[in-house]
Amino acid sequence: MKPEHEGIPKKPEHRLSQHKTFILKIEAERFAQLAEHIIMFDKAFAKKPEFHMTIIGYSKGELLKKIFEALPELEEKVNALLGRFQWQHKVEKKYFHVAQDVAIPRQYLEPGQVISDNTDIEKPTVHRESIVQMLDVPDMQLFYTALKELLEQAARENPALQALNIPIDTLCATPPPHVTIYSYNGKGIGINSLEEWNALQPQPFEF
């Protein structure tokens, strides 16, 4: 019988990436029973080739880069904070359909992506849709609470960080833990907070 929370072993790579993001892979075997493609709204959704949960996404990573430029020593403190947690998780039987139009720099467009608005030459708009499965990750809230305390203390003690006016509340908003299992038109949708999740108006989905 599997434990209530199936954990990812604590490993040295519990550190920020070069983009200052933090993403943990989930074993593909857990999703082996899923079909390779599903049809919904007359669209073909493809099963993701790999599965992961995003702890710190790219937009938050950009904010962290600015912080570390002002206070380089904070990066190791954030890495140490990430390493404090086991990042155990439970895959829940809750599925949602989410959709979003995203402006993508042209150099990052992938072959086959459908552009829904090409009026901006440099950053055309791409329509994305995904099926996501929710996760129970107790450490997510604990991490962001601790990160907020760390950054707020650093801001109080360092005028250089204060001068950046980094929105710490936005950076430390806890994202709803989930894994993208199917996508239409390429990659999944970045969701950085409960506010962003609600704005997408996710629709419950059943297999």
Side-chain angles (χ1 to χ4, degrees), residues 2 16 24 35 45 48 60 75 101 119 123 200:
K2 292 184 178 180
L16 295 167
L24 287 176
F45 284 71
K48 294 282 288 182
K60 292 185 176 185
E75 182 166 1
D101 289 323
T119 55
K123 295 180 70 175
L200 291 173

Side-chain angles (χ1 to χ4, degrees), residues 105-186:
R106 189 168 293 276
Q107 66 267 30
Y108 296 125
L109 288 176
E110 297 181 357
Q113 286 192 322
V114 178
I115 296 175
S116 55
D117 184 351
N118 205 19
T119 55
D120 189 324
I121 296 176
E122 296 300 323
K123 295 180 70 175
T125 298
V126 173
H127 181 72
R128 290 179 174 172
E129 297 185 38
S130 300
I131 302 297
V132 304
Q133 185 169 4
M134 306 311 292
L135 303 172
D136 180 16
V137 187
D139 285 343
M140 186 81 85
Q141 181 66 61
L142 295 173
F143 165 73
Y144 273 106
T145 298
L147 179 63
K148 184 177 181 181
E149 292 174 355
L150 174 66
L151 297 180
E152 286 180 338
Q153 180 179 351
R156 288 193 297 268
E157 297 174 352
N158 296 274
L161 184 53
Q162 293 178 23
L164 293 176
N165 291 318
I166 297 292
I168 293 178
D169 285 343
T170 299
L171 173 55
C172 296
T174 304
H178 68 278
V179 53
T180 299
I181 54 177
Y182 287 99
S183 67
Y184 167 75
N185 199 18

Side-chain angles (χ1 to χ4, degrees), residues 22-42:
F22 183 57
I23 296 170
L24 287 176
K25 290 188 176 181
I26 299 177
E27 300 88 344
E29 291 76 13
R30 297 196 193 180
F31 308 97
Q33 78 284 3
L34 297 177
E36 291 300 315
H37 296 86
I38 59 173
I39 303 298
M40 186 172 66
F41 308 132
D42 295 323

Side-chain angles (χ1 to χ4, degrees), residues 14-21 56 61 64-83 143 147 150-151 154:
H14 281 192
R15 299 173 59 85
L16 295 167
S17 72
Q18 63 176 340
H19 301 294
K20 312 312 174 191
T21 59
I56 300 175
L64 287 175
K65 284 181 184 178
K66 294 179 181 179
I67 291 173
F68 299 154
E69 287 172 1
L71 291 173
E73 65 271 19
L74 269 182
E75 182 166 1
E76 279 309 307
K77 291 183 179 181
V78 174
N79 281 328
L81 185 58
L82 288 169
F143 165 73
L147 179 63
L150 174 66
L151 297 180

